[in-house]
Each structure stands twice: as structure tokens, then as C-alpha cells.
């Protein structure tokens, strides 16, 4: 396998290939590819996000982060429509990501649930036909992150211009990589197939309702960094295939968050202050070697806590991260169980004879 081809593979695949090798040299080859892949992604992320933040303002860094993730994802996973409808879908998704968070921040409390529900369901429905490919997690992350960082006025205009740049970049990648696929599939074909007995559509409904409720609760009760609560809840509900039991991921999320917060706390205290800004990129580099959900959760804490420590202090950020995570996964666990019970009665096919 060429080294360039190895760089395109997921760390889980590279680890399996390394484990299957007998020679130390071959094992080292795949580990080198994993390391190079991680360094290249983090380096490109720093350059890409810094450039867009400088051009469109630091308050629009969250959209730059979301666009970076979208660029990486859209290389491998498309929307499963023809090229024209895929471009329209991309434009609609970006419009939702730009407008809905700011609308929710300005809306009265009574409108928050329908606003989040409508915007988030539309986003999931148009972008995620196969949840197992990861689009659901990608676009839910973008929506929650931007909801936690709304902008207004001139900053919102700059965010719209940044979205146009994102459309050009992601649209170009989409056409380059996928223009010959799904030529006969139009968006209206997918709309006509909507059926809540379909596990994908049931998953979309559960994900939308759960995330809408947790974001609304966070905004209404003034929870600090409520988007962290949203991330934790979404991580439980995004698991696919659809299942009413989210207890395994509940435990994994809590263990991962505790490990990540603990590691960050110790490193922050034991390293020079000049090293602290590098802890976010360090988490990103380590993430490139992770295949277990718990380790991914732990490494994702580094970037979040690096920013949070500058606002709340080290201890405040760590405590807030753990509290928000616990609230989010606890809500997700209870919500998933209640939703599944109702769905089993109303929507899911019943065994014969019952």
C-alpha cells in the first residue's frame, strides 16, 4: 500500500492492518502513517481555522471549525442525491447553521422548542440518509456548537459570507468526489419515503427531539456552556443502529470525560504556562490515534477545556465540563428510554401474535 493511500484510512483500519502484520517494519509503517495523518490534519486545521478567523473575525471561529469538519467528512460521505440536489442540500444546511442559532438566541422561550426542532430536524433529514456513515454526528456537532456561539448584526453578516466561502469549498469537493453517484436520486424521492417505522427516520426524530429539548433547557435555565450539555446528550442519541438502551455509551461518556478532565488538570498544573495554548492541538494529535469512544471523549476535552480555562479558570472549567456532561448524558439516558417505550407502542413493528 502506498503511503498516501494509508493516510486516507481511518485509524481503526490502520490499527487492524498493523495488528495483522507479522513483521515489525510493517507494523511501524502503519503506525507512521497514523502519526503522519494526525499531524497533517491538526496542522491543516490550525492553518485553515486561523486564516478564516482572521478574515471573518474571531467570533466566527466556530463556523470555521464546523467547515473544517465538513470538508473532511464530505470527501468520503455524500448526501446520496444527484449532484444538483446535493449542492442545494449543502446550501440549505449552511443556511440553517448560520441563521437558526442566532434566531434561537433572540427568540422568546416559548418558541425555542419548535425553532430548534424544525431547524435541527431539517438539517438531519437532508444530510443524513445513512447515520452509520457519521453525517448525523458531524452536523449535530456543528448545530450545537454554533447554537452555543451565536452572533448578531455585522458579525452575522460576516458569518454569512464565511458560509458562502464554505459552500464553494465543500461544494467543489462534493462535485469532485461524488458527482457521478446517485444520479437518479432526487430529494423529493427521499421525502416521499418518510416513514417513522423506518429505523433511520425514527433515529432522526429521537435525535431531533432530544437535542431540541436539552438545548432549550440549557438556554432557558442559563446553564453555562450549555452546548457541552448538548454535545453529551447528542453523543448518546447519535448512536446507530437505533436502540432504546444507551447505558453503555452513558458510562463511556462519563468515564471518558472524567479521564480527559483529570489528564488536562494535571498537565495544566505541571507544565509551564507557555505550553498551555498547545494543549488543544495536543488533544487533536492524540485523537488521531484513538479508536475507542472513551479515549476520543477524553481527547476532545482538551480543546474545550483550553478555551474554558481562559474564561472560568482551570478548576471552574473542569468542574463545569463534568457537570454539563453529567446533565447531558443523564437527560439523554432518561429521554432515550422514555422515547423508546412510546415508540415501541406506537411506531415500531410488533411481533406477530401480540
Amino acid at each position: 500500500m502506498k503511503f498516501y493511500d494509508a493516510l486516507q484510512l481511518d485509524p481503526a483500519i490502520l490499527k487492524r492492518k498493523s495488528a495483522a502484520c507479522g513483521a515489525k517494519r510493517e507494523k511501524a509503517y502503519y503506525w507512521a502513517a497514523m502519526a503522519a495523518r494526525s499531524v497533517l490534519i491538526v496542522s491543516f486545521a490550525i492553518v485553515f481555522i486561523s486564516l478564516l478567523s482572521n478574515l471573518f473575525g474571531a467570533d466566527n471561529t466556530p463556523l470555521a471549525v464546523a467547515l473544517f469538519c465538513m470538508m473532511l467528512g464530505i470527501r468520503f460521505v455524500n448526501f446520496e442525491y444527484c449532484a444538483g440536489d446535493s449542492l442545494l442540500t449543502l446550501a440549505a444546511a449552511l443556511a440553517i447553521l448560520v441563521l437558526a442559532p442566532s434566531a434561537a438566541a433572540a427568540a422568546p422561550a416559548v418558541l425555542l422548542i419548535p425553532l430548534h426542532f424544525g431547524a435541527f430536524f431539517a438539517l438531519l433529514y437532508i444530510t443524513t440518509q445513512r447515520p452509520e456513515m457519521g453525517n448525523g454526528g458531524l452536523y449535530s456537532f456543528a448545530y450545537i456548537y454554533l447554537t452555543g456561539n451565536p452572533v448578531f448584526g455585522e458579525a452575522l453578516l460576516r458569518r454569512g459570507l464565511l458560509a458562502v466561502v464554505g459552500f464553494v469549498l465543500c461544494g467543489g469537493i462534493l462535485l469532485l468526489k461524488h458527482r457521478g453517484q446517485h444520479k437518479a436520486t432526487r430529494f423529493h424521492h427521499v421525502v416521499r419515503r418518510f416513514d417513522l417505522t423506518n429505523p433511520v427516520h425514527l433515529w432522526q426524530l429521537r435525535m431531533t427531539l432530544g437535542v431540541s429539548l436539552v438545548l432549550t433547557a440549557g438556554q432557558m435555565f442559563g446553564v453555562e456552556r450549555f452546548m457541552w450539555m448538548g454535545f453529551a446528550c447528542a453523543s448518546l442519541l447519535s448512536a446507530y443502529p437505533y436502540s432504546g438502551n444507551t447505558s453503555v455509551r452513558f458510562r463511556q461518556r462519563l468515564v471518558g470525560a472524567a479521564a480527559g478532565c483529570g489528564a488536562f488538570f494535571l498537565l495544566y498544573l505541571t507544565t509551564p504556562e507557555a505550553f498551555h495554548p498547545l494543549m488543544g492541538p495536543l488533544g487533536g494529535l492524540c485523537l488521531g490515534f484513538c479508536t475507542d469512544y472513551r479515549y476520543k471523549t477524553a481527547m476532545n476535552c482538551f480543546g474545550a477545556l483550553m478555551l474554558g480555562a481562559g474564561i472560568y479558570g482551570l478548576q471552574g472549567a473542569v468542574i463545569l465540563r463534568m457537570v454539563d456532561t453529567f446533565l447531558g448524558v443523564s437527560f439523554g439516558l432518561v429521554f432515550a428510554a422514555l422515547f423508546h417505550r412510546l415508540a415501541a407502542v406506537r411506531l415500531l413493528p410488533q411481533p406477530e401474535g401480540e
Side-chain angles (χ1 to χ4, degrees):
M1 177 184 291
K2 294 181 180 178
F3 196 71
Y4 176 80
D5 294 329
L7 292 176
Q8 311 306 308
L9 298 178
D10 185 86
I13 299 175
L14 290 171
K15 284 188 176 182
R16 285 199 297 269
K17 288 184 174 293
S18 176
C21 294
K24 291 184 178 180
R25 185 171 182 177
E26 289 183 84
K27 290 180 180 290
Y29 179 84
Y30 288 116
W31 279 96
M34 210 180 314
R37 176 184 181 275
S38 183
V39 170
L40 288 172
I41 289 176
V42 172
S43 300
F44 179 55
I46 292 172
V47 173
F48 180 84
I49 294 168
S50 298
L51 176 62
L52 292 184
S53 297
N54 289 332
L55 289 174
F56 296 96
D59 45 7
N60 282 316
T61 298
L63 181 56
V65 173
L67 289 175
F68 174 76
C69 296
M70 289 171 62
M71 285 175 59
L72 293 184
I74 214 164
R75 292 174 60 219
F76 303 104
V77 185
N78 57 43
F79 302 130
E80 303 201 2
Y81 312 125
C82 63
D85 283 12
S86 292
L87 289 176
L88 290 175
T89 295
L90 177 61
L94 288 169
I96 292 170
L97 291 174
V98 169
L99 298 175
S102 297
V110 69
L111 295 180
L112 282 176
I113 292 179
L115 196 159
H116 280 311
F117 184 89
F120 193 60
F121 183 79
L123 184 66
L124 275 189
Y125 192 75
I126 64 178
T127 62
T128 310
Q129 305 308 313
R130 295 176 61 196
E132 66 272 20
M133 301 303 291
N135 264 9
L138 167 61
Y139 287 95
S140 66
F141 160 79
Y143 185 87
I144 295 168
Y145 192 26
L146 291 167
T147 297
N149 294 276
V151 291
F152 305 95
E154 189 263 342
L156 181 58
L157 177 61
R158 284 188 275 109
R159 183 165 288 189
L161 293 175
L162 176 54
V164 173
V165 173
F167 176 79
V168 172
L169 294 173
C170 293
I173 295 171
L174 183 64
L175 290 178
L176 180 65
K177 296 290 185 178
H178 308 290
R179 64 181 180 275
Q181 301 178 31
H182 309 290
K183 290 183 177 180
T185 305
R186 303 294 305 275
F187 177 71
H188 63 82
H189 295 152
V190 176
V191 172
R192 290 174 182 173
R193 292 200 298 263
F194 181 76
D195 182 357
L196 284 178
T197 60
N198 182 323
V200 172
H201 298 149
L202 190 62
W203 173 89
Q204 291 170 339
L205 177 62
R206 185 183 72 170
M207 181 85 164
T208 299
L209 186 56
V211 170
S212 299
L213 289 172
V214 80
L215 289 180
T216 298
Q219 289 178 267
M220 287 182 62
F221 293 107
V223 178
E224 289 288 337
R225 307 297 281 184
F226 67 87
M227 64 181 182
W228 288 352
M229 191 167 66
F231 292 146
C233 176
S235 73
L236 263 68
L237 302 181
S238 65
Y240 192 83
Y242 170 87
S243 170
N245 183 5
T246 57
S247 59
V248 172
R249 185 159 281 205
F250 171 86
R251 293 192 297 270
Q252 290 177 334
R253 185 79 183 191
L254 283 179
V255 169
C261 288
F264 182 89
F265 187 84
L266 291 175
L267 277 175
Y268 199 94
L269 289 178
T270 57
T271 55
E273 188 175 345
F275 177 78
H276 295 168
L278 300 177
M279 292 180 67
L282 174 64
L285 287 172
C286 294
L287 192 62
F289 294 88
C290 296
T291 55
D292 187 284
Y293 177 72
R294 292 166 297 180
Y295 298 140
K296 290 180 179 180
T297 298
M299 292 301 103
N300 276 326
C301 287
F302 274 53
L305 289 173
M306 184 185 72
L307 297 175
I311 303 171
Y312 306 102
L314 174 61
Q315 185 174 350
V318 168
I319 292 173
L320 186 58
R321 180 73 175 187
M322 284 305 304
V323 169
D324 282 352
T325 297
F326 178 76
L327 290 174
V329 293
S330 296
F331 177 88
L333 183 72
V334 174
F335 173 81
L338 292 175
F339 182 93
H340 185 72
R341 175 168 292 188
L342 292 173
V345 173
R346 301 280 184 178
L347 301 173
L348 295 176
Q350 300 296 317
E352 292 184 10
E354 291 192 4

